[in-house]
Amino acid sequence: MEDYQDAPESTLVAALQQEDAAAFEYFVRTFGGRALAVARRYLRNSDDAEDCIQDAFLQAFRNIEKFEQRSSLATWLHRIVVNSALMKLRSQTRLAEQSIDDLLPQFDTGECRVEPSWRFDESVETLAAKGEARRHVRDAIDSLPENYRIVLLLRDIEEYRTDETAELMDMTPGSVKITLHRARSALKKKLEPLFERDGE
Amino acid sequence: MSSHRKLKSWMFKLPTMLNCAEAEELMHDHHEGDLPANRRWRLNLHLKLCRECTSYLAAYENSIALGQSAHSDVEPADDLPDDLVAKITAAREQK
Ligand SMILES: [Zn+2]
């Protein structure tokens, strides 16, 4: 196998454009780990995540001709993986979900917020360094109702812009904003056990 | 506690004051840094007077940061297992 590791990326791209089988294998081998990790963010089932990256690599290979190298190959593939994961999610039947309403902020009849005073004894960095807290946070995101979970992943984790997310999700930018805000509020509700309550 | 909220609900009816529900609607844009100056001013005024919204916003911001850092290590050093690589390359050859 030709060594693409030390060569500029354009060498690999050129070989892929010539439908070189060894280049494709190298491409799958070196970019596959990250692609799989991204697919797993969206698809909870690991067979689905593997199918997803298989589709993504085949699609990438079919479209490599059109790849103009305005972004890196990794960024380009990332997008294809996300698209392929979203397609897969759309084709799946949804399980019954917890309603988001229970997780949204509460107001009293005078439109005053009902909220405990939180004290953050541990900084985000300290908390995030703990494996257990990280797992708790990931589980909390995973347990959000589907649309909210995906919009939160796209916007806050993958850092797609509002308009890009709107396009990927076939939503208006306005409803992306509302969905994202509710998703964040719901995540916050789920993470409250990590925060200390100041005695009132 | 409830007299505290009663006082606030009265105070937040004053002109240019936002109530908590109105403040809530600005939180997304506030976090994104997209609020126009006059709304930013009104939200900041509300936050100065409202312990609940201040507490809520801090937890909201912390949750976003926690979500981001819990997902920040998604770059696995591992390559794909050989059988999966073989499956994908075989699928290409079938096409
Ligand atoms: Zn308030």
Side-chain angles (χ1 to χ4, degrees):
Chain A
M1 192 194 294
E2 195 181 329
D3 192 14
Y4 296 103
Q5 202 169 342
D6 303 316
E9 196 167 86
S10 54
T11 312
L12 174 61
V13 173
L16 287 170
Q17 286 173 338
Q18 281 153 31
E19 305 196 5
D20 181 298
F24 184 68
E25 185 177 336
Y26 176 86
F27 180 42
V28 174
R29 228 174 247 292
T30 42
F31 290 75
R34 184 170 165 77
L36 188 59
V38 170
R40 279 192 181 134
R41 278 180 177 163
Y42 295 88
L43 301 159
R44 300 172 175 105
N45 176 306
S46 69
D47 285 347
D48 286 347
E50 291 187 4
D51 283 353
C52 162
I53 67 160
Q54 174 167 327
D55 290 349
F57 275 113
L58 294 183
Q59 232 187 83
F61 194 71
R62 249 180 307 192
N63 292 303
I64 190 79
E65 202 113 315
K66 293 180 225 152
F67 175 55
E68 290 170 355
Q69 304 188 52
R70 269 193 239 117
S71 63
S72 69
L73 194 52
T75 307
W76 183 69
L77 179 68
H78 186 116
R79 238 163 219 279
I80 298 175
V81 172
V82 169
N83 260 313
S84 154
L86 295 180
M87 291 270 275
K88 197 147 200 85
L89 282 171
R90 271 184 214 121
S91 71
Q92 289 172 344
T93 42
R94 295 190 189 178
L95 303 170
E97 292 180 333
Q98 182 185 10
S99 152
I100 193 100
D101 295 349
D102 311 337
L103 300 167
L104 295 182
Q106 288 189 311
F107 302 90
D108 68 12
T109 47
E111 299 197 270
C112 276
R113 189 185 296 277
V114 182
E115 178 81 10
S117 289
W118 301 110
R119 212 178 55 221
F120 307 100
D121 286 349
E122 292 186 285
S123 69
V124 167
E125 292 78 23
T126 323
L127 272 174
K130 293 182 187 165
E132 199 187 327
R134 294 175 75 85
R135 219 165 311 118
H136 182 90
V137 175
R138 284 177 192 232
D139 288 349
I141 294 175
D142 267 354
S143 68
L144 294 174
E146 195 82 330
N147 264 351
Y148 296 93
R149 179 177 76 92
I150 296 166
V151 168
L152 184 101
L153 283 174
L154 290 170
R155 285 283 289 111
D156 283 346
I157 312 298
E158 310 261 11
E159 300 186 331
Y160 282 97
R161 295 190 314 262
T162 301
D163 58 325
E164 292 171 317
T165 306
E167 204 184 313
L168 282 164
M169 296 296 288
D170 198 15
M171 291 165 82
T172 64
S175 67
V176 167
K177 287 181 187 183
I178 294 168
T179 305
L180 175 63
H181 177 64
R182 289 188 184 153
R184 288 166 169 174
S185 303
L187 176 64
K188 172 215 156 258
K189 185 87 198 162
K190 284 174 180 278
L191 297 185
E192 283 176 0
L194 295 177
F195 308 141
E196 296 293 322
R197 216 176 262 254
D198 241 352
E200 307 218 305
Chain B
M1 186 69 206
S2 84
S3 67
H4 157 79
R5 280 215 292 270
K6 240 176 241 159
L7 174 69
K8 281 208 324 197
S9 105
W10 171 81
M11 186 166 62
F12 293 152
K13 284 196 185 84
L14 294 172
T16 80
M17 287 287 230
L18 299 171
N19 65 33
C20 295
E22 290 163 337
E24 169 75 12
E25 286 177 17
L26 303 183
M27 298 256 177
H28 169 280
D29 285 1
H30 170 79
H31 177 80
E32 301 302 323
D34 286 344
L35 275 186
N38 96 65
R39 289 194 187 178
R40 194 168 62 230
W41 183 85
R42 290 172 77 185
L43 178 61
N44 285 336
L45 179 64
H46 181 94
L47 291 170
K48 279 206 180 79
L49 299 168
C50 180
R51 195 179 61 192
E52 283 77 8
C53 281
T54 304
S55 174
Y56 169 85
L57 183 60
Y60 178 92
E61 305 272 1
N62 268 295
S63 301
I64 296 168
L66 276 171
Q68 287 169 334
S69 45
H71 270 284
S72 61
D73 63 348
V74 158
E75 323 225 357
D78 304 345
D79 287 345
L80 287 186
D82 284 338
D83 55 340
L84 185 54
V85 175
K87 204 179 134 209
I88 296 173
T89 51
R92 184 193 67 83
E93 278 153 23
Q94 273 169 23
K95 300 264 155 158

